[in-house]
Amino acid sequence: MKTAILSVGTELLFGQITNTNTVYLSQQLNLLGFDVMYHYTVGDNPERVAEMIRLAFKDCDLVLTTGGLGPTQDDLTKEVACRVLGDELVMMDDVLEDLTAYFRKNGRQMTDNNKKQAIMPSRAKVFRNDAGTAPGFALQKDGKYIVCMPGPPREMTRMFQKNVVPFLRKMSDDVIYYRMIRCFGIGESQLETALLDLIDNQTDPTLATYAKEGECSLRIASKRGTQEEAKAAVDEMLAKVREIIGDYIYSCDDEDLVQVVCRKLMEKKLTVASAESCTGGMFAAALTDVPGISGSFQRGLVTYSNEAKMDELGVRAETLEKYGAVSEETALEMVEGLKAVSGCDVCISVTGVAGPGGGSPEKPVGLVYIGLICGERKLCKRVQMRNVSRKWNRHYAVLSMLDLINKNI
């Protein structure tokens, strides 16, 4: 069923609130087998809200709205939806009882304008709000459905899962199953080119590529009559994809690279330490964002200056003078020193030119060297990044460190 999502609220247009509702609903609706065709955002203006609903219904049979169901005068989504679908508003005693009980339970006084929220379209299927005061509802006319939910994400998500999902399941005969394949070390255009034969001949499952700061993803989706059929089709396509780009895949479950690496470290009970120069502790910060990593991550040193590299890691002055701080030789001495002081199973170092200045023809901005000791293996990887910005260079360096660990533990 073709579906549109309409977000109501002037604060969204002003950029005062990030619209997370649309992302959430798009993901959930796709899983339920609904084709999300449009996203609309409109301010608290009844005529424009009505115009957007009519516009959406020109190409869609289902419109989901969020926002505009509160007790104040600018909350008019309910009234507009009722008018567009040719219904009338009536006081619903059972909804009023629920509202009264909610305020009594929370020790609050219910004002007269809160009673407005118990006035609903006469034909509406009402959805209770377990996390707030604004009920939601579904209304239909001539095969067109509108589902209206409150704007606060906590209220919307609970109402959607508890009330709206069961309602929508009765309207869809198909189920969509998909997997997000995460890749590092290959660009989106390269990924598409590698998979062009599969993409050109796709019917179901479908493949779509996405770029994301320093990495890219592949979505494999299938719409079938049952979850089992859809999953089998996706898994069969995934096997074909692995044969082509398997070396670049680090997750088939939409995990971040740091999550994959930390899980491996914890499962294998490996200890890890880091010595960072150009990334300034970003690698250590990424690891410590993952719950439970304290059992593996032992220490993170930021040795930004040459003096720190010598004092903390034992890098030789002759090495720095002859090869420079940004060199394979320095990266290896950094990781060797880190191994000596930490004794960890996995030791990693990084040194490079983050920019925007400081580069040279021999060592351009975006060049980094990553040293790694993992068990008996010792290696150094040279990475030359395209110079986007200092922030991007540092971010990509951390991803490169994680990728190197992931492929060697």
Side-chain angles (χ1 to χ4, degrees), residues 178-383:
Y178 72 89
R179 297 186 75 169
M180 290 297 295
I181 315 306
R182 302 282 289 269
C183 305
F184 181 77
I186 184 171
E188 186 182 15
S189 59
Q190 294 173 291
L191 178 63
E192 184 180 70
T193 300
L195 300 174
L196 206 54
D197 286 344
L198 295 178
I199 293 172
D200 284 346
N201 296 306
Q202 65 181 335
T203 51
D204 185 297
T206 58
L207 294 87
T209 59
Y210 304 91
K212 179 190 175 184
E213 298 199 356
E215 54 180 293
C216 56
S217 301
L218 175 71
R219 182 181 187 266
I220 307 176
S222 177
K223 181 189 286 189
R224 301 291 172 106
T226 67
Q227 181 89 353
E228 292 75 18
E229 291 174 341
K231 182 178 184 303
V234 169
D235 289 345
E236 182 179 348
M237 179 61 76
L238 175 56
K240 296 177 182 178
V241 168
R242 279 188 180 278
E243 291 179 5
I244 302 171
I245 59 160
D247 289 344
Y248 299 104
I249 295 173
Y250 69 79
S251 173
C252 295
D253 297 305
D254 200 20
E255 301 168 287
D256 289 332
L257 183 51
V258 67
Q259 294 175 307
V260 172
V261 170
C262 286
R263 186 182 68 248
K264 281 188 176 182
L265 290 168
M266 291 186 284
E267 287 176 353
K268 296 183 178 184
K269 301 187 185 310
L270 297 173
T271 56
V272 61
S274 61
E276 303 177 64
S277 183
C278 59
T279 52
M282 290 174 61
F283 175 85
L287 260 62
T288 55
D289 272 343
V290 178
I293 195 60
S294 59
S296 291
F297 185 53
Q298 299 296 301
R299 69 181 71 188
L301 304 178
V302 177
T303 53
Y304 206 70
S305 67
N306 285 352
E307 290 76 15
K309 292 177 178 64
M310 292 186 289
D311 293 344
E312 302 292 335
L313 301 171
V315 176
R316 295 177 300 165
E318 310 89 83
T319 301
L320 292 166
E321 183 176 348
K322 183 176 181 180
Y323 301 104
V326 181
S327 64
E328 177 178 340
E329 291 78 8
T330 296
L332 285 172
E333 288 193 17
M334 287 173 67
V335 79
E336 288 164 354
L338 180 64
K339 177 69 174 181
V341 299
S342 72
C344 287
D345 303 313
V346 179
C347 293
I348 192 162
S349 67
V350 64
T351 180
V353 187
S360 68
E362 296 78 22
K363 298 180 181 181
V365 173
L367 173 66
V368 297
Y369 289 93
I370 303 170
L372 178 71
I373 293 178
C374 183
E376 299 300 316
R377 282 167 293 168
K378 179 171 68 174
L379 58 101
C380 184
K381 182 175 182 179
R382 182 185 188 274
V383 179

